């Protein structure tokens, strides 16, 4: 009876007694990282060690649920990273002339209306996202958003923060909603709900399936967001 109660309490707290605890570094090794992002393509700014350092801030990232779920989450994360950065080539958004300043939430744009373009592995964008990330990190990213493009650990951390705390990406995978939900969370307004898969969304799906294959796990269902 005591064992049953312990298992019940673990489930209430979000832990599965049947899960296999892992860590991102045990699934995404240096060699796997380099297969995903070859060094002749990826920008040297994006290092494996900085990625691992950033994951330490979020212990449940890539370590929740069964081993298959953990692998799917990391494959999903990196599939979106690959699409956002062109296989980790780009630190900053190519087109920096767009206005990502929305003051309707009471958050100003002290660095300028065009200063909040995409940066980092998931291309953190908009003044309100920089503000929220800065508060989470105890930093003033609203005043100086380019810190995300200058500090390697911070850059990775901003993307894992967005995945874990500023969107439903983590729960989309760990609660079996499917990869398509991560596309909606990251760029749904541009890529989803169009009646058929847009090319960027299809790219993400293809990358996800490829990474799942490399990690030896099935991709699951609900992959698209059309």
């Amino acid at each position: 009876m005591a064992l049953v109660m312990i298992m019940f309490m673990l489930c209430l707290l979000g832990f599965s007694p049947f899960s296999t605890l892992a860590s991102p570094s045990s699934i995404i090794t240096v060699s796997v990282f380099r297969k995903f992002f070859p060094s002749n393509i990826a920008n040297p700014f994006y290092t494996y060690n900085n990625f691992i350092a950033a994951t330490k801030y979020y212990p449940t990232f890539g370590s929740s649920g069964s081993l298959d779920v953990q692998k799917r989450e990391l494959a999903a994360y990196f599939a979106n990273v690959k699409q956002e950065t062109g296989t980790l080539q780009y630190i900053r958004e190519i087109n920096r002339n767009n206005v990502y300043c929305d003051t309707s939430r009471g958050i100003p744009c002290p660095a300028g209306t065009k200063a909040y373009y995409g940066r980092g592995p998931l291309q953190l964008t908009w003044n309100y996202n920089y503000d929220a990330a800065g508060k989470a990190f105890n930093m003033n990213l609203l005043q100086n958003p380019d810190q995300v493009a200058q500090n390697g650990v911070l850059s990775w951390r901003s993307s894992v923060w967005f995945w874990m705390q500023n969107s439903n990406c983590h729960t989309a995978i760990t609660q079996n909603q499917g990869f398509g939900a991560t596309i909606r969370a990251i760029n749904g307004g541009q890529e989803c709900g169009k009646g058929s898969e847009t090319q960027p969304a299809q790219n993400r799906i293809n990358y996800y399936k490829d990474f799942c294959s490399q990690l030896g796990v099935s991709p699951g269902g609900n992959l698209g967001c059309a």
Side-chain angles (χ1 to χ4, degrees), residues 64-116:
S64 300
S66 68
L67 184 58
D68 280 357
V69 170
Q70 294 162 19
K71 289 179 177 181
R72 287 191 192 104
E73 178 170 19
L74 290 165
Y77 168 80
F78 278 120
N80 283 296
V81 166
K82 183 170 182 175
Q83 175 63 24
E84 292 293 319
T85 63
T87 316
L88 286 183
Q89 290 184 78
Y90 304 113
I91 302 170
R92 298 173 179 86
E93 186 174 348
I94 296 173
N95 182 0
R96 302 172 198 172
N97 292 317
N98 293 320
V99 174
Y100 293 113
C101 173
D102 179 359
T103 59
S104 66
R105 307 183 186 199
I107 300 169
C109 299
T113 59
K114 295 183 179 180
Y116 303 99

Side-chain angles (χ1 to χ4, degrees), residues 22-146:
S23 66
S25 62
S26 67
I27 297 172
I28 306 297
T29 61
V30 175
S31 61
V32 170
F33 184 82
R34 279 297 158 224
K35 287 179 182 177
F36 284 7
F37 305 105
S39 57
N40 65 323
I41 299 176
N43 191 306
F45 173 80
Y46 292 116
T47 70
Y48 173 79
N49 287 339
N50 282 345
F51 163 68
I52 296 301
T55 66
K56 304 294 186 184
Y57 292 95
Y58 305 97
T60 57
F61 172 69
S63 63
S64 300
S66 68
L67 184 58
D68 280 357
V69 170
Q70 294 162 19
K71 289 179 177 181
R72 287 191 192 104
E73 178 170 19
L74 290 165
Y77 168 80
F78 278 120
N80 283 296
V81 166
K82 183 170 182 175
Q83 175 63 24
E84 292 293 319
T85 63
T87 316
L88 286 183
Q89 290 184 78
Y90 304 113
I91 302 170
R92 298 173 179 86
E93 186 174 348
I94 296 173
N95 182 0
R96 302 172 198 172
N97 292 317
N98 293 320
V99 174
Y100 293 113
C101 173
D102 179 359
T103 59
S104 66
R105 307 183 186 199
I107 300 169
C109 299
T113 59
K114 295 183 179 180
Y116 303 99
Y117 53 78
R119 294 175 177 87
L122 284 181
Q123 295 288 281
L124 187 68
T125 310
W126 290 101
N127 59 316
Y128 49 81
N129 284 327
Y130 279 97
D131 180 61
K135 288 176 179 175
F137 307 157
N138 197 27
M139 301 175 67
N140 192 347
L141 294 181
L142 193 64
Q143 187 68 47
N144 184 8
D146 208 51

